[in-house]
């Protein structure tokens, strides 16, 4: 089998803020921006990885949700515990400095973890937890 990760989904509650963050702060390219019934799905990804993407989606579009479930999702998003994604970079310190200077909410400064990785964490405008791991030759 040859299976790859094509897309991951992250919810957003403000499409313009999320678009600005992923495009302008992280430097991802915008691959698609689709509106439907007042909602937007925005596909972004690293320019040098055309087969890997993040789809920013409106959580209200999940079929069959009750009002209580929508409220719970909003609360979890606000805490940063609903969705998340792990990204990687060759220069964690430089990337962290750029993110810290932007509008990103820093959760954790670069740290050597006891499980063998060095990473940092921040939240996007919707509250999604983004962990950024330093690439090492043994992890690549």
């Amino acid at each position: 089998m040859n299976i790859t990760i094509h897309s991951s989904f992250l919810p957003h509650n403000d499409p313009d803020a999320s678009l600005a963050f992923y495009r302008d702060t992280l430097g991802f390219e915008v691959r698609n921006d689709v509106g439907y019934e007042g909602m937007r799905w925005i596909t972004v990804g690293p320019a040098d990885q055309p087969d890997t993407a993040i789809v920013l989606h409106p959580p209200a579009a999940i079929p069959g949700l009750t009002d209580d479930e929508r409220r719970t999702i909003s609360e979890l998003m606000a805490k940063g515990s609903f969705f998340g994604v792990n990204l990687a970079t060759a220069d964690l310190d430089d990337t962290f400095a750029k993110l810290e200077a932007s509008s990103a909410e820093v959760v954790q400064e670069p740290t050597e973890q006891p499980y063998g990785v060095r990473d940092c964490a921040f939240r996007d405008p919707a509250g999604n937890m983004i962990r950024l791991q330093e690439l090492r030759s043994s992890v690549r």
Side-chain angles (χ1 to χ4, degrees), residues 92-93 95-97 99-100 105-113 115 117-122 129-133:
L92 185 64
D93 294 316
T95 305
F96 177 79
L99 290 168
E100 188 176 36
E105 176 191 346
V106 174
V107 175
Q108 174 203 300
E109 294 187 3
T111 303
E112 191 71 41
Q113 300 292 356
Y115 42 87
V117 301
R118 184 167 182 262
D119 70 357
C120 65
F122 55 96
M129 181 68 70
I130 299 175
R131 299 203 68 84
L132 186 58
Q133 180 176 324

Side-chain angles (χ1 to χ4, degrees), residues 32-97:
N32 210 353
D33 189 342
V34 177
Y36 178 73
E37 294 187 3
M39 297 179 282
R40 282 171 67 193
W41 288 256
I42 304 164
T43 305
V44 297
D48 63 346
Q49 296 177 45
D51 295 331
T52 302
I54 294 174
V55 179
L56 306 168
H57 69 92
I62 299 171
L65 286 181
T66 66
D67 288 341
D68 285 342
E69 290 168 332
R70 279 189 176 79
R71 233 181 337 275
T72 299
I73 288 171
S74 293
E75 291 169 4
L76 290 170
M77 284 175 66
K79 289 174 28 179
S81 57
F82 185 58
F83 267 81
V85 66
N86 290 0
L87 305 176
T89 183
D91 190 341
L92 185 64
D93 294 316
D94 181 60
T95 305
F96 177 79

